[in-house]
Amino acid sequence: KMSKHMTSNMIPTPHELTRDEILNAVRDHFSKKGYKVLSGLQFGCELVLYADSPTRVHSDFCVKLAEYDPGRREYYIDWRIIQTLARSMPDLHKTLLVCQVRRVWSDEKGVWEHAVDELAVASEHAPFRYREKKDVGEQTKRLRTK
């Protein structure tokens, strides 16, 4: 267990995690919430989230990971990336989620765990805003007939 006498420089910080560890922590976080998690590279993000099988529904969320700057000891995303992604999400019928991963101590388990923070980014520019709003997982795909 973590001692009250441990100093802050003994606590693992986010920059000690590899990019793959961060991505896996976020992937696990959303998988535990029931989403199917796939690569989001085609949308300019790290991940996309499906409420059901990707063969049945379109993804509802794109996930962009915030970077950690050890010098400033904070997370960041270049504002131009946020602007570009936020503007493209309405056309893609998706919500942008910005995530960061923190390491937190679990007294119950006696180990370090990953905590994922989520921030939803929305834009006022939404060309489809007058259409009937569908709930998560209701963007079904049209079945092709021969």
Side-chain angles (χ1 to χ4, degrees), residues 48-121:
V48 289
L49 308 179
Y50 293 85
D52 198 350
S53 169
T55 59
R56 297 189 62 230
V57 299
H58 292 284
S59 60
D60 291 299
F61 300 98
C62 285
V63 178
K64 180 69 180 158
L65 299 181
E67 302 290 333
Y68 185 76
D69 181 348
R72 294 181 359 202
R73 297 183 64 93
E74 64 184 15
Y75 289 90
Y76 73 95
I77 293 183
D78 187 289
W79 67 269
R80 293 166 289 202
I81 292 172
I82 291 292
Q83 182 181 40
T84 300
L85 290 172
R87 282 186 169 185
S88 65
M89 291 300 119
D91 292 335
L92 298 170
H93 302 273
K94 298 184 187 340
T95 299
L96 175 63
L97 297 177
V98 176
C99 294
Q100 68 182 27
V101 176
R102 297 177 291 114
R103 293 188 85 174
V104 294
W105 181 257
S106 170
D107 283 330
E108 181 181 309
K109 297 179 184 175
V111 296
W112 289 101
E113 295 183 324
H114 299 120
V116 178
D117 299 320
E118 307 170 28
L119 174 69
V121 179

